[in-house]
Amino acid sequence: MIIIIFDNLREGVLELQTDIAIIGAGPQALTLTTHLLQKGQRKSPLFVVLDPSGTWMQRWQQQFMAQDIPYLRSPAAHHPDPNPVALRTFAESRPQELFPPYDRPGRQLFQDFCQTVIQQWSLQDRVMAAEVVQIEPIQQQRHRFRLWLKDGRCLLVRRVVLAGGDGALNVPGWVRSLQEDYPAERLCHSVQVNLSQLQLRGEQILIVGGGLTSGHLAIGAVRREAKVKLMARRQFQEKLFDADPGWMGPKYLKGFCAEPDWHQRWQMIQTARNGGSLTPEMMVQLRRARRDKTVELAENCQIEWVRWQSGRWQVQCTDGDDFECDRIWYATGRGLDASRHPLLQEVQRYFSTEIVNGLPVLDPHLRWLGCELFVMGGLAALQVGPFSRNLRGAKIASDRIVEALTKPTVALSRAVA
Ligand SMILES: Cc1cc2nc3c(=O)[nH]c(=O)nc-3n(C[C@H](O)[C@H](O)[C@H](O)COP(=O)(O)OP(=O)(O)OC[C@H]3O[C@@H](n4cnc5c(N)ncnc54)[C@H](O)[C@@H]3O)c2cc1C
Ligand SMILES: NC(=O)c1ccc[n+]([C@@H]2O[C@H](COP(=O)([O-])OP(=O)(O)OC[C@H]3O[C@@H](n4cnc5c(N)ncnc54)[C@H](OP(=O)(O)O)[C@@H]3O)[C@@H](O)[C@H]2O)c1
């Protein structure tokens, strides 16, 4: 299948041209491409997927390995293939890798399944190793974009789908205000922790956050014979999923989509997710570890400052508590802010749209108002709802975007802007 129509060298810049560019090759993008190919069976859509790794699902797999996550949080019905029972069918010979309740798939099962999906839809060679550094709407040619790549090349496209994952890492203020030097691996965000490469025996580790990542890191560190203090700024919340499962379907989404006030929708999302949460089985493990005195659970606690002194961290909390530890990991998640997203700066300049507490107002097809840029993942939450970051959100988003992408469009012109 041809994905790049032609390339041409102008003024030292290599320009490639295609119809649709999908930025990112994570689960959101994989879900979109399978749905796009299924819908466009008679006339194959021209698209290219761009990701610095040059492969599918690299970030997902790396995070699951690095944090020692045994199985998914979401049910077996949520995966990148358009056939809802495809994962269950795939797992027929591996039932022990589906975990109750809701048959949540094991890490390896899900990974093998995704590889099969990639092969079945002939997507192995669809990811171009490239990082997009700018999306430039072309003034002279409406309905076209120039995507600037980090290596200096650029891509001319008619439609863009932004599926680059959640936004920048949340870095707490006390980390940002640190002045002195310290060894980078002794204080880092959870995405920089790779448990399999660490010797932690006898160490004391402070983990900040109340989401499931903080729980996995705590249990992983204890398994490596460290002692952990797990600190949340609120009380730990116990929830099977990120939000009530009613938000995965029409039960709550019907009312959400009928709500005309974007600020109300934003509030509904906040209330539904209500920050980070830990699954019941993770809470069981943490409570057991607390009984064994390998984990201390510190709730309603925040750090005021930390200081690196004589090879250890001195930690001062806002409630007056102070202690020492060997490492600090902040599992504070990622933020979502379209107004600061580096790839959306130019788009906003040409096609300004309302941004509600970081989330852009999109049309029902998840299209940026006024142009052919589509947004998936957390940034599409005002349309997709509280699960927009998750696999369920990827399915909802794909159905909406594909409907718009498979509408007939004007034939690609060979003209270069
Ligand atoms: C540890 C962890 C476990 C999770 N488990 C579950 C679960 O069990 N069930 C569930 O439903 N959800 C889960 N989630 C939530 C969500 O499903 C995942 O975060 C998922 O990876 C989101 O998919 P994505 O495609 O948006 O992002 P990502 O997986 O982050 O993929 C985005 C890709 O875009 C690429 N990219 C970014 N910027 C650019 C650029 N400028 N140019 C080119 N490429 C770019 C990145 O390199 C990356 O490969 C989990 C999240 C985490 C962090
Ligand atoms: N499959 C799995 O087993 C698995 C494993 C890990 C993660 N996940 C999923 O991945 C997604 C991300 O999870 P996550 O745990 O990385 O992130 P998260 O759910 O966004 O949780 C981040 C946590 O950090 C806290 N936080 C943020 N900023 C802070 C600050 N400045 N100071 C103190 N605390 C701060 C938040 O507090 P508040 O609660 O007060 O907002 C929240 O508890 C979720 O959808 C989760 O379900 C799944």
Side-chain angles (χ1 to χ4, degrees), residues 64 69 71-73 172 208-213 216 233-234 242 273 275-276 331-333 390:
F64 267 72
I69 302 174
Y71 53 85
L72 274 67
R73 190 176 193 174
V208 177
L212 193 48
T213 297
H216 280 295
R233 60 184 175 184
R234 302 186 296 162
D242 288 305
R273 279 191 88 100
T332 46
N390 300 80

Side-chain angles (χ1 to χ4, degrees), residues 23-29 50-53 55 57-60 63-64 67 69 71-74 78 130-133 163-166 213 242 343 376-378 389-392:
I23 302 175
Q28 294 269 350
L50 305 155
D51 195 293
S53 67
T55 58
M57 305 280 290
Q58 201 262 349
R59 192 187 274 177
W60 170 281
Q63 292 282 279
F64 267 72
Q67 294 174 19
I69 302 174
Y71 53 85
L72 274 67
R73 190 176 193 174
S74 47
H78 300 169
E131 181 179 344
V132 179
V133 290
D166 292 337
T213 297
D242 288 305
L343 296 184
M376 299 187 81
R389 290 178 167 201
N390 300 80
L391 299 175
R392 175 65 192 144

Side-chain angles (χ1 to χ4, degrees), residues 321-338:
D321 187 21
D322 61 82
F323 56 90
E324 289 188 7
C325 61
D326 299 291
R327 288 173 199 266
I328 305 176
W329 297 334
Y330 44 101
T332 46
R334 288 173 182 268
L336 287 171
D337 190 353

